[in-house]
Structure formats: C-alpha cells, structure tokens
Amino acid sequence: MSKHSTLWKKLHNNNTALFSTANNNNHSYQTATFGQPVHHTHPHLINPGEVLKGIQLQEVQNRRINLLHSLKEYSASFTDKNSNHIVIVPSANKKYMSSKIPYVFRQNTDFLYLSGCQEPESVLVLEIDSSHNTKTTLFVRPKDKNAELWDGPRTGVQFARDIYGVDEALDVNSLKEYLTKYSFAQPNAVIWYDEHLSDLRNVSKIVQDVSHHTKSPLELIHALRVIKSDTESALMRKTCEIASHAINKTIEESHSGISEHQVFATVDYYARVHGANFLAYPPVVAGGSNATIIHYVNNNQIVNDGEMILLDAGCEYHGYTSDITRTWPVDGKFREPQLVLYEIIHQVQRELLDCLLFAGGETLDQLFDTMCSKLGKYLQEIKLIPPSLSGNDLSRAAYKFCPHHVSHYLGMDVHDTPLIARNVKLQSGMVCTVEPGIYIAKDKLDVPAEFRGLGIRIEDDVLIKPGKEIEILSKNCIKDPFVFAQTIGNKSKG
C-alpha cells in the first residue's frame, strides 16, 4: 500500500484528516485542510459519501458519464462516430467589489454540477474515445501556505482525486501542457468549450492556442440539469421551505412605516438563521407604486399606511435556489381596489396551477398563453380592458398589464438552464415557477384612478412529478388575503 493510501485510510478510520509533507527528508504530519466542507471537517453538514450537502459523490460521477455518453450520441450525426471528444469546463473566478475586497464567491453552476468542487481557478476535463472509454481530470490550485494564510485552505492536488472522485488530479498550472499533448495525440478530436461564459480568460487563451474550432457543451449540460434527481428535489424542497418560512416571518413583522430596507434585512435574516447560505438574488422589496417596477431593487423607501409590499425573494441552500413572490397590505388590510386586483391574480394562479401538465399548460409557453387569456377576461370584467376585444387582441391587451413570462425553470440557478426552450413539454423532475402579475403605473390614465400605482405578483415554485402530478414546493408560504390580516393583526396585538 502506498504512503498516501495509508494516510487516507487513517483519515477515514480516525475521522481526522492528516497529510504528509516532506521537508529535507523529514516527514511531518499536519491536520489536513480542504477548500470546502467535507464529512471529516463538517459532519454537521456533509454525510459520509457526500461531496456536497445532500449529493452523493456517486451521483456527481454519474452526471459526468451521462454527459459524455449523451455528447457522443448527439455528435454522431455531424462527426465521425469514431471521433474522440474532450470537454473543458472551467470554474468561476473570484470577483472584487473594490481593491482586495472580494464578493462572496459563487461557483460556476455547470462546473459545480459536474465536479462537486467549490474552489475557484479550477478546470474539469472530461474525455471519451472511440471505444467509449472515459477519463475525468480535475485541475486545481496547489497547496500554498502563504495564499492559504490570507484566503483560506485549498484542497490541493493531494486530496482532490479522492474528494471529487476523478481519475486524475493535477496542478491547474499544468493545464496548457496537458491540452497541448492531447491535441498532438488526438488531432481530430472534437473540443467542447464555451468561451463566452468562461470567467477564466487564461483557460480560454489556452484552448484557443490548442484549437480554433470548439463547440459549446452547455445545451447538453442544461438538458441534464433541467431534470432533477430525487436528491436534488429534496434540496429544492428544503430551499423553498426555508424561503417560505422567512417570507411568512417577514409578513408577520411588517407594519405601517416600515422601510423597504428593513423588509430586506428581515427576510435575509430569517433565511440565513434557518440554514440558507444567502439570498439567491437581490430581492425586490417594493412598497406602494414601486411594485409597478418589475425589477425594483433600490429598496430604500418607506411603506406607508394603506400601501402594499411586493416581496420577491428566494434563498440558496447548498447550491439550490428558491424564488417566491408575495404581495400584501403593510397593515394587513386590503383596500377595495387592491383586493379586487389581488383576487384576480390569486384566481389566475390557481387556474394555472390546475392546468399545469394538461391542456394549456403542457409547456411553459402554453402556460403563458393561458395566463394572458385568463387575465384578459378577468380584467374585462372590471372594465380595465374593453369588452370588444377577444382572442389574440385580448391576450395582447392583457400582456400590457403583465409584460413578463409567467414561468421559468428553477434549480441551481434562479433562471435555471436558460438554453432549454420554454416550448419543451414538461417532464417529471423539472421545477418551474408560476408567477402571474399585474402592474399599473401611476401615470396610466386609461384606467380608473383607484387602480393606478398598484402592482401585484404571486409566485410559487412547482416540482413536476410522475403521473401528471405537481408538488407546490412553496405551499407553506401564505397567500390567502384573510390570513394576511390575521397574521399581521395578531402580531400588532402582541
């Protein structure tokens, strides 16, 4: 048994990570450190066999193999069936808000999905040959005591092979030499790399030096990512539970005169204390007429008595995101025009959830068409749209009140797998949002004055299940208008 194998056995047996370093032929043992949580250092987060929270290493290894075989099958139509293929997937890089002050690091989603590695400046290389033999190589930053003193531990080449379950782990500085040798050995190989979405310019330069002809693997990766495994579905369920609870608490603690900034801080606080890593995106906290600005993120106004708050917020839980919107009166009491519009959106959303996977809801684009038609009819009933309109004209008129799509895929990213078209038939394992809304600007003079300046959206996250069933992952987030009144009223009484 090799020296490293012996040490690795000690690591498992003693639940203490040790590594050996040679210095002037003297071997000293130190407590091992890793660039991300592992079971031995974070048993409260990572279970045995997992590479990420809730995700077994075997699942990540299967993703890599599935990608290579799907890529081989896909490419058979435009390349020689005996061609070799190499896929190069870079990590994200650290980004800085100012000199030496980094933003919180977030890994490139496709890289994380295929590698399980949360470290920057890393590259995953996948290979498959004409006989369907595969190889996976992970290039990582080497151990560096000085760099780790400032920026935290690195896994290093020593342990990357075992932690991430790859065939080989190498110093990222050897990537150019590796790819150059591969290109000489396999001059006709198909190289898969997406330069446009790469954070690592040095990797793009290396790939360009090796080959001027590359194909993007992202659509094939997204085709895998859009279907969630059972373990991914469990993580999606958890992130939605956390966000739902955080929004409920935020609703409970709202009151006249609260600032949008305080609402932001409240939902952020309750998401984090219940396990979220951070919010999934800058939330929309829009009081009063600010809710008519769909992507309002200034969050710096006071919400006055009689106004509503539109809160669009979600959290990230170990790589998986939620995306929920609720709109409620800051004092718990809907004024009549507010309630009229709220009940329309509430009813439209109920009907959209009922038709999901059925006629009018078999794809996200069908669901959007259905929303426009239903919203138009309800707005005709309250005379916001002329009664003479029908068909496409009615839908176009409704779209002016809700100028965004009613749904998008959800997963590791908020707007997940964007290369998967919204006209694809929904399948078991997909997660999507259902988010009808209505936005009436203050200066929209062709509607009655009492409706001007009102913006309402209700958004839930839905898991598609076998047998044309759905699971509303955000079902615990309150949206009944009467529950709003009870929740905020009970808080004020207390």
Side-chain angles (χ1 to χ4, degrees), residues 294-324:
I294 296 170
H295 283 165
Y296 173 84
V297 291
N298 290 338
N299 304 337
N300 58 8
Q301 271 290 2
I302 300 298
V303 188
N304 297 308
D305 191 47
E307 293 183 324
M308 294 186 295
I309 300 175
L310 187 156
L311 172 60
D312 184 339
C315 63
E316 181 164 318
Y317 178 77
H318 297 282
Y320 289 81
T321 63
S322 44
D323 183 7
I324 303 170

Side-chain angles (χ1 to χ4, degrees), residues 20-38:
S20 173
T21 60
N23 183 18
N24 298 324
N25 297 321
N26 293 320
H27 294 275
S28 63
Y29 293 93
Q30 302 176 14
T31 301
T33 55
F34 303 92
Q36 67 189 62
V38 299

Side-chain angles (χ1 to χ4, degrees), residues 224-332:
L224 295 176
R225 279 181 45 207
V226 76
I227 305 296
K228 309 299 184 288
S229 67
D230 289 344
T231 52
E232 289 183 293
S233 296
L235 289 164
M236 290 299 301
R237 193 172 292 112
K238 183 64 175 180
T239 188
C240 290
E241 287 175 359
I242 293 171
S244 296
H245 180 267
I247 292 173
N248 287 349
K249 292 294 292 183
T250 303
I251 292 169
E252 179 183 329
E253 296 186 11
S254 63
H255 56 82
S256 300
I258 197 171
S259 71
E260 295 167 343
H261 179 74
Q262 185 177 342
V263 174
F264 180 156
T266 303
V267 72
D268 186 22
Y269 169 77
Y270 282 114
R272 289 175 188 258
V273 298
H274 285 90
N277 301 92
F278 36 73
L279 292 185
Y281 50 91
V284 175
V285 184
S289 62
N290 291 331
T292 65
I293 304 168
I294 296 170
H295 283 165
Y296 173 84
V297 291
N298 290 338
N299 304 337
N300 58 8
Q301 271 290 2
I302 300 298
V303 188
N304 297 308
D305 191 47
E307 293 183 324
M308 294 186 295
I309 300 175
L310 187 156
L311 172 60
D312 184 339
C315 63
E316 181 164 318
Y317 178 77
H318 297 282
Y320 289 81
T321 63
S322 44
D323 183 7
I324 303 170
T325 305
R326 292 294 185 263
T327 311
W328 72 93
V330 68
D331 58 3

